């Protein structure tokens, strides 16, 4: 009370411009972010295990690049694979390579480096690019489920129905990724960050960075839930609805062999969606959960690295058309036909 009285007594003797200028400078200091870089703790820094960890992730990353590039090449070279389904698979492979390249090379550099800093601007860019490719990939899964529905329920009209809409569907997924990725990034990076600046993660992911904010993040939690609902729950609901109709159609097939063959065409897609969706739901729709955020980098490794490695394996090993295209490509390399 004494402080308020003294301030009220002094203010009349101070010129209004001086008071206004002082208040503006105070507000600027409060709103200004004092953190210019973030420290990504990544994985345990141990001189003995770091070379092994670096080799493991490097081999994994190279396998991701090689396997996805090979799958794209096979789809491009073999005319029998020029169908909407394989076009979506090639786009998925391209997204996987971009998705992992956003985070893994930096992680490899930090494993062997003592300084694990990333500038504020680079953190914003990495966060947005990661979300962009991730959201596009998740939306693409829902489009691929529609593709499977048309292929199984309307096989004779499959190309007629799907071919005109292929590019438009991918474009819608891209627009969805641009807008929702911008929403996540804008609300996360508008918060003040005044320290500490160390995060137990290997890249700038939204839940990990939000823990460092010097302000109330309840609004961000609400935004994450709303955006996560539109990005994760809505496409997942569409996938579930589509597969309910697919299974209803499959059960009407008379022969057991026909039902098994129809089911086998869906298992690859269901497996990939499950591996990608469950960790994303846990990470982005469980705000304020310390127990989950502590394991965030492990779950991020799963849907960022493991799924990118398994996608081409799942879509190629159990696919006779891809296997034939691979044997044909190898045969061309050995001897001309």
């Amino acid at each position: 009370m004494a402080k308020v009285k003294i301030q009220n007594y002094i203010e009349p003797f101070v010129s209004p411009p001086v008071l206004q200028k002082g208040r503006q400078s105070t507000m600027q200091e409060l709103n200004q972010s004092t953190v210019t870089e973030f420290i990504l703790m990544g994985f345990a820094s141990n001189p003995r295990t770091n070379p092994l960890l670096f080799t493991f992730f490097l081999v994994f990353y190279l396998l991701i690049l090689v396997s996805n590039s090979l799958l794209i090449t096979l789809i491009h070279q073999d005319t029998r694979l020029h169908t909407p389904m394989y076009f979506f698979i090639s786009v998925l492979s391209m997204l996987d390579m971009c998705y992992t390249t956003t985070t893994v090379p930096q992680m490899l550099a930090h494993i062997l480096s003592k300084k694990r800093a990333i500038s504020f601007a680079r953190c914003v860019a990495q966060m947005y690019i990661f979300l962009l490719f991730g959201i596009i990939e998740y939306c693409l899964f829902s489009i691929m489920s529609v593709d499977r529905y048309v292929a199984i329920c309307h096989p004779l009209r499959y190309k007629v129905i799907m071919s005109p809409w292929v590019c438009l569907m991918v474009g819608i997924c891209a627009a969805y990724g641009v807008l929702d990725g911008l929403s996540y990034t804008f609300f996360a990076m508008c918060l003040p960050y005044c320290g500490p600046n160390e995060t137990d993660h290997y890249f700038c992911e939204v839940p990990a960075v939000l823990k460092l904010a010097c302000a109330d993040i309840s609004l961000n939690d609400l935004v994450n839930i709303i955006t996560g609902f539109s990005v994760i729950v809505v496409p997942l609901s569409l996938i579930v609805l589509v597969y309910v109709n697919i299974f209803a159609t499959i059960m009407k097939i008379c022969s057991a062999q026909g039902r098994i063959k129809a089911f086998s065409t869906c298992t690859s897609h269901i497996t990939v969606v499950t591996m990608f969706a469950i960790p994303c739901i846990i990470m982005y729709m469980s705000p304020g959960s310390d127990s989950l955020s502590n394991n965030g980098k492990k779950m991020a490794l799963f849907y960022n690295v493991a799924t990118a490695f398994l996608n081409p394996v799942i879509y190629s090993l159990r696919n006779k058309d891809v296997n034939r295209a691979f044997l044909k490509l190898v045969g061309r390399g050995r001897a001309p036909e």
Side-chain angles (χ1 to χ4, degrees):
M1 290 295 294
K3 187 176 180 180
V4 174
K5 287 180 180 178
I6 291 171
Q7 185 178 359
N8 292 336
Y9 182 76
I10 292 175
E11 278 188 2
F13 299 97
V14 183
S15 60
V18 174
L19 281 173
Q20 187 176 1
K21 185 177 180 181
R23 285 169 183 163
Q24 287 178 353
S25 63
T26 303
M27 291 301 295
Q28 287 175 358
E29 288 175 2
L30 289 174
N31 292 331
Q32 186 178 6
S33 173
T34 57
V35 170
T36 58
E37 63 180 20
F38 293 102
I39 307 298
L40 303 174
M41 302 303 292
F43 299 94
S45 181
N46 189 327
R48 294 183 178 179
T49 60
N50 279 353
L52 294 175
L53 201 62
F54 175 85
T55 304
F56 174 77
F57 283 121
L58 177 61
V59 171
F60 224 77
Y61 178 58
L62 293 176
L63 287 174
I64 289 171
L65 295 181
V66 171
S67 58
N68 282 284
S69 299
L70 178 60
L71 186 57
I72 293 172
T73 302
L74 293 175
I75 293 171
H76 176 74
Q77 292 291 332
D78 198 315
T79 54
R80 290 174 298 182
L81 302 181
H82 291 178
T83 63
M85 181 185 76
Y86 291 108
F87 174 76
F88 290 136
I89 292 175
S90 65
V91 173
L92 180 64
S93 294
M94 184 176 63
L95 288 171
D96 283 334
M97 290 191 291
C98 297
Y99 195 50
T100 53
T101 302
T102 308
T103 60
V104 176
Q106 176 190 265
M107 177 183 67
L108 293 172
H110 284 182
I111 288 175
L112 297 182
S113 175
K114 292 182 180 180
K115 187 179 180 182
R116 301 184 175 187
I118 181 172
S119 66
F120 193 90
R122 285 182 59 196
C123 184
V124 174
Q126 185 185 55
M127 182 183 293
Y128 177 70
I129 295 171
F130 177 82
L131 288 168
L132 171 67
F133 290 124
I135 293 170
I136 294 174
E137 183 166 332
Y138 197 85
C139 293
L140 186 66
F141 287 144
S142 62
I143 300 299
M144 292 173 73
S145 68
V146 175
D147 176 79
R148 290 295 82 216
Y149 170 79
V150 177
I152 292 173
C153 300
H154 304 282
L156 299 179
R157 295 191 297 155
Y158 170 66
K159 287 188 176 181
V160 176
I161 295 173
M162 290 300 299
S163 295
W165 302 100
V166 166
C167 294
L168 177 62
M169 288 177 175
V170 174
I172 292 172
C173 292
Y176 211 55
V178 169
L179 295 176
D180 285 316
L182 189 62
S183 174
Y184 268 116
T185 307
F186 175 78
F187 281 98
M189 305 315 288
C190 279
L191 292 172
Y193 293 91
C194 48
N197 65 339
E198 293 183 354
T199 176
D200 187 21
H201 214 299
Y202 67 94
F203 73 99
C204 289
E205 192 172 29
V206 172
V209 174
L210 284 179
K211 292 178 66 178
L212 304 178
C214 303
D216 182 24
I217 62 171
S218 56
L219 176 62
N220 293 80
D221 288 340
L222 180 61
V223 169
N224 290 348
I225 290 175
I226 294 173
T227 311
F229 183 84
S230 65
V231 172
I232 300 174
V233 177
V234 172
L236 186 61
S237 301
L238 175 62
I239 293 171
V240 172
L241 181 63
V242 168
Y243 273 108
V244 167
N245 285 276
I246 289 175
F247 292 153
T249 302
I250 291 175
M251 295 308 296
K252 295 177 183 178
I253 298 175
C254 298
S255 66
Q257 186 176 0
R259 287 197 296 269
I260 293 172
K261 185 178 180 180
F263 272 121
S264 65
T265 62
C266 301
T267 53
S268 299
H269 185 249
I270 293 174
T271 303
V272 170
V273 170
T274 303
M275 291 190 308
F276 193 86
I278 293 176
C280 288
I281 291 172
I282 295 173
M283 280 294 296
Y284 285 90
M285 301 200 69
S286 302
S289 178
D290 293 333
S291 59
L292 293 177
S293 58
N294 289 336
N295 294 320
K297 61 183 176 183
K298 298 176 184 177
M299 283 188 285
L301 269 179
F302 188 80
Y303 63 75
N304 179 216
V305 179
T307 54
F309 171 74
L310 292 174
N311 280 351
V313 175
I314 292 171
Y315 281 116
S316 60
L317 289 181
R318 301 181 69 255
N319 192 307
K320 293 181 180 179
D321 293 333
V322 175
N323 289 333
R324 279 197 293 264
F326 176 73
L327 293 175
K328 183 179 179 181
L329 184 67
V330 173
R332 281 180 180 174
R334 291 177 180 176
E337 292 182 358

